[in-house]
C-alpha cells in the first residue's frame, strides 16, 4: 500500500515545494484538489484539461519526486436545489472525470451531494429519521427523484472513461454510511464506490473494520482516507454526538477530527490496514489533515510515521504452513 496525502493543508506552498516536502517525509502519492471544497491550488483543472504539454510537464514533476496521483478530489454538491450551484458542481465533477482519464489516474473522490426535501425547497435537507412521516417521504424523493437519476448518468459518464467515483460517506450528504453507499452503487454501476474515510464513521458509532468488510464484499472500496476522530465523552455524555459547535471551539465539542493515532491507537490502524488487505485493497492511504490541535506539517509527519509502521509494502508470499 502507498502512503498518500490529500494536499490542501499544503496550499501555502507551490506544488513543487509540496512534492519535495512530501517525498522527504516518505509519502508515495498525492490526492490534489481540482475543484469544489478542496479547491485547486496545486492542480488547476482548467489549466490541465485537454492540454497534453501541461500534462507531460506534470508527469515529469511527479516522476522527479517519485510520486503518483492516487485520485483527483472535487468534493461538492451536484444535487443542490439551487440550479446554478448544482450546475457548477456538476461541471467540476465531469471535468475532473475527464482529467482523471487523461492523466491515467483512474479515480475521482467526491461527495454524493444532498438534495432539498422536495421540489420547491431552496436548501439541502439532511434527513436522519423516518418520523414524522413527511421526512420519510422527503428522503424517498431525494433518492428516487434526484440522486439516482443524476448519479446513474454520471456513473455511465465515468464508466465510458474508465474512471472510478470514490464517494466519501459524509454527514450532511445523502450518502453518509455504508448502506447508503451500497444503495447508490446498486442503483447505478460498479464505478460508484467508497472513498473510505473512517473519521466520519467513528462518531456515528460505526465499527470501521466491520464497515470495510461489508463494503469489501461488494468490491466497493475505491480509495481510502487516513483520518482519525476522537470522541470526547465528557461532552458527548450529556449532549450526544450530533454536535453543531464550531470545530475551532475544541473544548466544547463532543468529537474532533484528529491526526492518525490521536483518536485511535497504532494497534487499531494496523487492524484497519490488515482488514483492507483482506478485502483486496492495495491502493493509497491518503492522509487528510483536519486536526485543529496541531499544525499541518506536524500532523502529517506524525500520521506518516505511524502509517509507515502499519502498511504492508510487499505482497504476501505463499502460506507455506498450510
Amino acid at each position: 500500500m502507498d502512503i498518500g496525502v490529500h494536499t490542501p493543508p499544503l496550499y501555502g506552498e507551490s506544488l513543487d515545494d509540496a512534492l519535495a516536502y512530501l517525498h522527504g517525509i516518505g509519502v508515495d502519492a498525492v490526492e490534489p484538489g481540482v475543484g469544489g471544497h478542496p479547491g485547486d491550488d496545486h492542480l488547476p483543472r482548467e489549466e490541465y484539461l485537454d492540454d497534453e504539454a501541461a500534462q507531460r510537464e506534470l508527469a515529469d514533476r511527479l516522476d522527479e519526486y517519485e510520486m503518483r496521483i492516487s485520485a483527483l478530489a472535487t468534493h461538492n454538491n451536484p444535487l443542490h436545489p439551487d440550479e446554478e450551484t448544482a450546475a457548477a458542481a456538476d461541471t467540476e465533477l465531469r471535468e475532473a472525470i475527464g482529467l482523471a482519464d487523461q492523466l491515467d489516474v483512474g479515480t475521482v473522490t467526491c461527495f454524493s451531494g444532498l438534495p432539498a426535501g422536495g421540489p420547491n425547497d431552496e436548501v439541502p435537507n439532511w434527513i436522519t429519521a423516518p418520523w414524522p412521516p413527511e421526512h420519510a417521504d422527503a428522503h424517498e424523493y431525494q433518492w428516487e427523484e434526484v440522486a439516482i437519476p443524476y448519479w446513474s448518468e454520471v456513473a455511465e459518464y465515468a464508466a465510458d472513461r474508465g474512471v472510478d467515483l470514490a464517494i466519501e460517506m459524509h454527514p450532511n450528504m445523502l450518502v453518509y454510511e455504508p448502506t447508503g453507499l451500497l444503495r447508490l452503487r446498486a442503483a447505478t454501476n460498479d464505478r460508484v464506490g467508497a472513498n473510505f474515510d473512517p473519521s466520519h464513521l467513528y462518531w456515528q458509532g460505526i465499527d470501521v473494520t466491520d464497515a470495510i468488510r461489508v463494503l469489501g464484499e461488494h468490491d466497493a472500496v475505491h480509495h481510502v482516507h487516513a483520518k482519525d476522530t476522537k470522541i470526547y465523552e465528557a461532552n458527548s455524555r450529556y449532549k450526544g454526538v450530533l454536535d453543531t459547535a464550531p470545530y475551532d471551539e475544541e473544548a466544547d465539542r463532543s468529537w474532533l477530527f484528529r491526526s492518525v493515532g490521536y483518536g485511535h491507537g497504532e494497534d487499531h490502524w494496523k487492524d484497519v490496514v490488515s482488514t483492507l488487505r483482506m478485502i483486496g485493497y492495495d491502493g493509497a492511504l491518503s492522509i487528510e489533515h483536519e486536526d485543529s490541535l496541531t499544525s499541518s506539517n506536524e500532523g502529517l509527519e506524525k500520521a506518516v510515521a505511524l502509517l509507515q509502521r502499519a502498511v504492508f509494502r510487499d505482497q504476501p508470499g505463499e502460506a507455506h504452513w498450510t
Side-chain angles (χ1 to χ4, degrees):
M1 296 181 189
D2 293 334
I3 297 175
V5 166
H6 184 34
T7 67
L10 302 176
Y11 278 174
E13 305 178 21
S14 69
L15 177 59
D16 278 305
D17 287 345
L19 291 174
Y21 165 70
L22 293 173
H23 175 69
I25 63 172
V27 171
D28 310 297
V30 289
E31 179 195 353
V34 295
H37 293 290
D40 64 357
D41 288 29
H42 283 157
L43 196 63
R45 182 184 69 256
E46 294 177 346
E47 293 181 15
Y48 286 89
L49 188 64
D50 299 324
D51 189 330
E52 294 183 2
Q55 293 172 14
R56 286 194 298 271
E57 181 184 354
L58 175 62
D60 290 342
R61 294 160 86 184
L62 292 167
D63 288 344
E64 179 181 353
Y65 298 105
E66 300 177 293
M67 201 77 62
R68 73 178 183 91
I69 296 176
S70 64
L72 301 180
T74 176
H75 297 75
N76 213 330
N77 186 1
L79 307 183
H80 199 286
D82 179 78
E83 292 183 3
E84 185 175 342
T85 301
D90 176 66
T91 296
E92 290 172 346
L93 179 57
R94 290 175 188 269
E95 289 184 353
I97 293 167
L99 182 57
D101 176 24
Q102 293 173 9
L103 295 176
D104 292 324
V105 169
T107 304
V108 170
T109 56
C110 54
F111 289 146
S112 67
L114 182 66
N120 299 317
D121 294 353
E122 296 182 353
V123 296
N125 189 342
W126 188 39
I127 297 167
T128 60
W131 190 92
E134 59 263 30
H135 293 273
D137 294 340
H139 195 237
E140 198 64 11
Y141 161 81
Q142 291 178 320
W143 274 98
E144 297 299 329
E145 300 298 325
V146 183
I148 290 175
Y150 174 80
W151 282 105
S152 294
E153 182 180 339
V154 174
E156 287 300 322
Y157 186 86
D160 290 343
R161 289 155 182 80
V163 174
D164 286 335
L165 298 166
I167 293 176
E168 185 171 336
M169 297 170 285
H170 195 289
N172 281 320
M173 295 291 159
L174 186 63
V175 171
Y176 60 92
E177 45 74 41
T179 65
L181 190 286
L182 292 176
R183 177 178 179 178
L184 189 61
R185 180 179 172 88
T188 55
N189 64 33
D190 290 350
R191 288 294 176 177
V192 172
N195 176 33
F196 190 89
D197 186 329
S199 68
H200 310 297
L201 307 184
Y202 290 126
W203 67 263
Q204 293 183 66
I206 295 172
D207 186 285
V208 164
T209 53
D210 286 354
I212 292 171
R213 288 175 181 270
V214 167
L215 293 172
E217 290 173 1
H218 301 269
D219 295 322
V221 177
H222 291 336
H223 193 258
V224 174
H225 272 178
K227 181 179 169 190
D228 216 336
T229 293
K230 174 71 174 179
I231 297 174
Y232 293 95
E233 294 185 358
N235 292 329
S236 68
R237 276 195 295 265
Y238 75 89
K239 69 172 184 174
V241 294
L242 293 174
D243 195 346
T244 57
Y247 286 115
D248 58 358
E249 294 181 7
E250 294 91 351
D252 294 329
R253 283 194 54 81
S254 295
W255 55 268
L256 288 172
F257 297 131
R258 298 304 317 274
S259 303
V260 173
Y262 281 80
H264 298 77
E266 186 168 326
D267 285 350
H268 169 79
W269 281 96
K270 288 178 176 177
D271 197 16
V272 168
V273 167
S274 297
T275 308
L276 287 168
R277 169 153 284 194
M278 288 179 190
I279 69 164
Y281 181 80
D282 198 27
L285 303 177
S286 185
I287 300 165
E288 183 180 21
H289 174 82
E290 291 184 350
D291 186 342
S292 60
L293 297 180
T294 182
S295 70
S296 295
N297 286 37
E298 185 172 16
L300 289 173
E301 289 166 19
K302 289 182 181 299
V304 169
L306 186 149
L307 291 176
Q308 283 176 333
R309 297 191 295 271
V311 298
F312 299 108
R313 296 290 186 177
D314 299 328
Q315 292 297 323
E318 181 183 356
H320 59 82
W321 56 92
T322 60

